[in-house]
Amino acid sequence: MRDSTRRTIRTVVQDALSLAAAAPLIITASGIPQTAVGVGASLAVAAGLTRVMALPAVDRLLPSWLRMAPPTLALPDPVPPAPPAPPIGTAG
């Protein structure tokens, strides 16, 4: 499974849990000021879940297909750098 797919699944799970936690506030809200409290609570829960799921201890508890991918090493540049140009004013 690609890392982008893992990240998408993790984000969907986090958002679903945060919306479920804030659902009572959102459902009972009838006006915009009251709805803002529900939206704020869901964003706070989503931010908290995102931070907690980024911890290595929590990552180890997740199923292997949902864990973060190990960091990869940077690949070398496929195009070698150009040789330095000779100084201006020198005869070659």
Side-chain angles (χ1 to χ4, degrees), residues 14 68 79 86:
Q14 293 166 4
M68 290 188 289
V79 179

Side-chain angles (χ1 to χ4, degrees), residues 7-76:
R7 289 179 188 204
T8 301
I9 292 171
R10 289 167 64 113
T11 301
V12 168
V13 169
Q14 293 166 4
D15 289 343
L17 290 174
S18 65
L19 287 175
L25 292 173
I26 294 172
I27 291 172
T28 58
S30 60
I32 294 201
Q34 295 173 346
T35 305
V37 173
V39 171
S42 67
L43 290 175
V45 171
L49 283 172
T50 301
R51 179 66 186 113
V52 168
M53 287 186 76
L55 296 173
V58 175
D59 192 54
R60 286 189 296 269
L61 295 174
L62 295 173
S64 61
W65 58 271
L66 196 53
R67 291 183 188 147
M68 290 188 289
T72 57
L73 299 175
L75 297 175

